[in-house]
Amino acid sequence: MRDSRRQAPTVNAGSMADIAFLLLIFFLVTTTISADKGILRKLPAECLTPDCNIEVNDRNVLEIFINRNNELMVEGELIEVSDLKTLAIDFIDNDGANQCDYCNGKQLETSSDKPQDAIISLKHDSETSYGTFIDVQDEISKAYLKLRTAYAKSKFNKLPEGLTKDELIEVKKAYPFILSEVQLDRNQ
């Protein structure tokens, strides 16, 4: 007699794991993973001397603050982000000490002595938007680019892209990018 109960056919699933593994490897190899890029900034060199605190004349520091409402204050006055580039150029290129033969500044007593002493202090609130912070950084970078480009044209009769390595170093020494960044934490 025959058994009335039939057994259901079974499917051999042993190779399914191998196929899934091969598909996984295929997608990992063929997929491009985009890497996020940050702000390209060179960190300052490590201070190797015992006393790293340097006294800085107040006139050599341009204080910029971005509050939690994304409003920009320079030296305590509200300004538009679009005006920051001009203010930074006037501050850096001031030549208040009358020691810079390539500066075109107004020699104001309220601005920097020379470009090598000019420090831009950027402070921002912990709730400042990332976009506003980047816009301010861009305006500061544009100010330095304009000053360095003008110096390269007058000194070497070249644009910065055409400078040799030694010429580029000289341009950067003439207008060093000195930026101090501080985030104010309101939770303390």
Side-chain angles (χ1 to χ4, degrees), residues 56-63 74-75 86-98 105-115 117-119:
V56 177
N57 190 341
D58 287 340
R59 75 182 276 175
N60 290 322
V61 179
L62 180 65
E63 293 183 2
V74 176
E75 298 294 328
T86 304
L87 285 172
I89 289 171
D90 291 344
F91 171 77
I92 297 163
D93 206 33
N94 181 54
D95 192 24
N98 201 16
K106 300 172 185 171
Q107 297 181 334
L108 301 174
E109 292 184 16
T110 56
S111 291
S112 72
D113 290 330
K114 57 186 177 184
D117 293 340
I119 300 170

Side-chain angles (χ1 to χ4, degrees), residues 2-11:
R2 291 180 82 181
D3 189 5
S4 65
R5 288 181 281 151
R6 288 186 165 191
Q7 289 188 348
T10 60
V11 177

Side-chain angles (χ1 to χ4, degrees), residues 85-147:
K85 177 182 165 185
T86 304
L87 285 172
I89 289 171
D90 291 344
F91 171 77
I92 297 163
D93 206 33
N94 181 54
D95 192 24
N98 201 16
Q99 299 173 346
C100 180
D101 58 347
Y102 55 86
C103 293
N104 299 313
K106 300 172 185 171
Q107 297 181 334
L108 301 174
E109 292 184 16
T110 56
S111 291
S112 72
D113 290 330
K114 57 186 177 184
Q116 292 81 6
D117 293 340
I119 300 170
I120 296 180
S121 175
L122 177 58
K123 297 177 185 170
H124 64 283
D125 192 270
S126 60
E127 293 182 16
T128 299
S129 76
Y130 189 71
T132 303
F133 181 76
I134 295 301
D135 290 343
V136 170
Q137 288 258 347
D138 286 345
E139 291 300 310
I140 295 168
S141 296
K142 287 177 192 176
Y144 275 100
L145 178 63
K146 184 173 181 177
L147 290 169

Side-chain angles (χ1 to χ4, degrees), residues 23 27 29 35 37 40-41 56 63 79 93 118 136 140 148:
L23 284 173
F27 285 116
V29 170
K37 292 186 178 181
L40 297 176
R41 290 278 187 251
V56 177
E63 293 183 2
I79 68 161
D93 206 33
V136 170
I140 295 168
R148 288 176 173 178

Side-chain angles (χ1 to χ4, degrees), residues 14-88:
S15 63
M16 292 289 239
D18 294 337
I19 294 171
F21 182 70
L22 287 173
L23 284 173
L24 177 66
I25 289 179
F26 172 76
F27 285 116
L28 286 175
V29 170
T30 59
T31 304
T32 58
I33 301 172
S34 62
D36 292 336
K37 292 186 178 181
I39 300 172
L40 297 176
R41 290 278 187 251
K42 183 177 180 182
L43 294 175
E46 181 181 356
C47 180
L48 300 175
T49 60
D51 184 21
C52 293
N53 295 328
I54 300 170
E55 289 294 321
V56 177
N57 190 341
D58 287 340
R59 75 182 276 175
N60 290 322
V61 179
L62 180 65
E63 293 183 2
I64 300 172
F65 178 66
I66 311 168
N67 66 17
R68 65 177 155 183
N69 299 324
N70 297 315
E71 296 171 324
L72 182 64
M73 296 179 69
V74 176
E75 298 294 328
E77 294 183 30
L78 281 173
I79 68 161
E80 295 295 320
V81 174
S82 59
D83 298 331
L84 181 59
K85 177 182 165 185
T86 304
L87 285 172

